[in-house]
Amino acid sequence: MATEIVVPRLGWSMDEGTFVEWLKADGEQVNAGDMLFVLEGEKAAQEVESFDAGLLYIPAESPRAGDTVLVSQVLGFLLEEGETPPEYKPADAPVSSVLDEPNVTPPQLDKSEKSSINRAGRRNIASPRARRKAKELGIRLDGVSGTGRNGRIRERDIVAAAENGVVKPAGTASSAVIAPTQSGTLKPLTNVRRITAQRMQASAQQTVPVTLHTKFNAKGLIAYRDSLKSSGMTPSYNDIIIKLAANLLRECPELNACWTAEGVYVYDQINIAFAVATDNGLLAPVINQVDKLMLDDVAEYSTELIEDARAGRLGEDQLTGGTFTVSSLGTFGVDHFTPVINLPQSGILGIGRIVAEPLVEAGEVIAGQTMSLSLTFDHQVLDGAPAAHWLQKLVHALTSPREHIS
């Protein structure tokens, strides 16, 4: 009996992905455990393993490289020797934008509702769960921006709108992207770019960000790292800062938390996400329970994750679960910047470059080296004073790392 090859769900919020390539040829023998195809999920491309064996049959109408595919969509079949392939039914292209929407008689609309829909240019596309949640919370769909494909409204969009008070009054025009006014070329969005844009928009809507900037004498940090060069793997400056930040987050738990409608949700574990620039876009792999790791472990994990990120080998599980984020632009010659909070979190630390400049010590001007830090925090979760006090503690630890790294 033929075994269907279907699109798996790589992450809890994944509804669709991008088919990248087959790793086996049509008609080739596939064994259980073989890597069968590559699928790009919300943040990374991942090889998908076959759990069954058989001869691979790839229908002529099956998705091609770059095509958008839905979770559970059939891609092909594994057949027994001499077995006739079953009929293949390609997924209808529009399905992804209106998936699981019931076929109902359109309700009668009053004039205000009709005018609202006419101005928007089309009706709101929402899943049944989103519609039920909207009805339960008394929210009008024309005031909600959908994060699904083609603007489809999901249940979490309704919840986010209710929690953050961003629902538009009935009859107001929905927000729209201003169209280009000059000739140019449209670059299609990759999954990574699309998801990054959605998360940045969500962060802007759901947080009240404030950024604090500071600068400190990096002499002690540089000396500490230099002293480690003779031992095994030399940690980067980022590794040292990640470790010290994790150690200090217990002293300001609100920075290892997120905002919810019911209150501040403080995470039990300290899992640090750190930004990695790749050819496919920005990724933020996660090191779990950093406060319980040795510095050597942090350096080893970060090196492996960076290599995997740039080689496209990261799995979805390596990109989720972060409770605080660290981002560095120091290698690009940047001093201060404004990092964007990575939801669902309340804080992100930006690392600037180390630069040679005059310093004053004991009333004397000397040649020194400084580093800049930028802390963005959600003012809904904590106030400026505790955030500044935590940043001050981090700076103090970085001037003498050996005394603070366990």
Side-chain angles (χ1 to χ4, degrees):
M1 181 177 179
T3 302
E4 292 182 339
I5 302 169
V6 299
V7 176
R9 190 183 301 276
L10 300 181
W12 70 269
S13 61
M14 177 179 168
D15 292 325
E16 61 188 31
T18 301
F19 183 78
V20 179
E21 63 175 334
W22 288 102
L23 298 177
K24 297 284 187 178
D26 186 29
E28 186 174 351
Q29 175 66 38
V30 176
N31 298 314
D34 288 350
M35 294 302 172
L36 189 53
F37 61 92
V38 179
L39 179 67
E40 184 180 349
E42 293 189 338
K43 276 287 190 177
Q46 187 169 328
E47 293 183 351
V48 178
E49 178 183 353
S50 175
F51 294 100
D52 300 285
L55 296 175
L56 177 60
Y57 172 68
I58 304 175
E61 305 87 355
S62 66
R64 296 292 182 258
D67 287 352
T68 298
V69 291
L70 304 177
V71 170
S72 299
Q73 178 178 335
V74 176
L75 301 176
F77 302 92
L78 292 177
L79 308 177
E80 296 180 0
E81 188 73 39
E83 183 178 7
T84 302
E87 180 184 1
Y88 177 73
K89 297 180 181 179
D92 197 8
V95 166
S96 62
S97 62
V98 292
L99 184 67
D100 70 7
E101 231 180 275
N103 184 16
V104 297
T105 302
Q108 296 299 313
L109 305 177
D110 60 29
K111 291 182 179 179
S112 63
E113 290 178 301
K114 289 180 180 178
S115 62
S116 174
I117 294 177
N118 289 337
R119 283 194 297 270
R122 63 178 179 84
R123 69 185 182 90
N124 295 291
I125 300 173
S127 70
R129 292 179 63 180
R131 293 181 182 277
R132 286 195 295 269
K133 180 62 70 172
K135 183 176 181 181
E136 174 189 329
L137 299 177
I139 292 175
R140 293 280 295 276
L141 293 177
D142 57 2
V144 179
S145 297
T147 59
R149 189 183 179 202
N150 297 326
R152 180 171 178 250
I153 299 172
R154 305 175 182 180
E155 182 182 22
R156 64 171 178 255
D157 298 323
I158 301 294
V159 174
E163 289 180 351
N164 295 284
V166 298
V167 181
K168 299 175 184 176
T172 60
S174 61
S175 61
V177 176
I178 298 175
T181 58
Q182 299 295 322
S183 61
T185 302
L186 179 66
K187 297 180 64 176
L189 290 176
T190 63
N191 265 5
V192 172
R193 184 75 263 157
R194 177 172 56 84
I195 295 298
T196 299
Q198 290 174 355
R199 293 183 67 84
M200 294 302 99
Q201 289 180 356
S203 181
Q205 293 173 352
Q206 299 178 30
T207 67
V208 181
V210 177
T211 304
L212 306 176
H213 303 290
T214 192
K215 183 188 292 186
F216 68 95
N217 187 341
K219 176 182 177 182
L221 175 61
I222 296 170
Y224 176 67
R225 182 171 182 269
D226 287 343
S227 72
L228 300 175
K229 289 183 177 180
S230 58
S231 59
M233 178 179 292
T234 304
S236 67
Y237 290 116
N238 289 354
D239 294 332
I240 298 170
I241 294 172
I242 285 172
K243 173 58 180 169
L244 286 172
N247 288 354
L248 289 170
L249 280 172
R250 292 291 182 199
E251 299 183 26
C252 187
E254 292 81 8
L255 280 173
N256 193 61
C258 69
W259 175 258
T260 72
E262 290 76 30
V264 175
Y265 187 93
V266 179
Y267 293 109
D268 294 330
Q269 295 184 353
I270 295 177
N271 303 331
I272 306 295
F274 62 100
V276 179
T278 74
D279 292 340
N280 293 323
L282 184 67
L283 299 177
V286 177
I287 304 176
N288 294 318
Q289 302 191 65
V290 179
D291 57 322
K292 297 180 180 179
L293 299 177
M294 302 295 290
L295 179 58
D296 288 348
D297 296 326
V298 175
E300 182 178 349
Y301 289 145
S302 68
T303 299
E304 291 176 357
L305 287 169
I306 291 171
E307 291 176 354
D308 287 346
R310 291 176 176 163
R313 295 193 298 262
L314 285 181
E316 292 288 332
D317 59 326
Q318 295 170 294
L319 293 163
T320 56
T323 61
F324 184 85
T325 298
V326 173
S327 178
S328 176
L329 293 178
T331 55
F332 299 100
V334 173
D335 292 317
H336 299 288
F337 61 104
T338 306
V340 179
I341 294 172
N342 182 16
L343 291 179
Q345 299 172 18
S346 64
I348 179 170
L349 181 69
I351 303 173
R353 63 174 176 162
I354 293 178
V355 60
E357 61 181 358
L359 293 173
V360 177
E361 275 191 8
E364 302 234 350
V365 178
I366 63 169
Q369 292 179 297
T370 63
M371 174 181 274
S372 300
L373 298 176
S374 304
L375 174 67
T376 299
F377 64 94
D378 187 352
H379 213 320
Q380 296 175 115
V381 176
L382 73 164
D383 295 328
H389 186 48
W390 182 85
L391 185 59
Q392 186 181 50
K393 286 183 177 181
L394 178 60
V395 164
H396 176 70
L398 286 170
T399 58
S400 53
R402 191 179 300 278
E403 300 174 14
H404 297 87
I405 288 186
S406 55

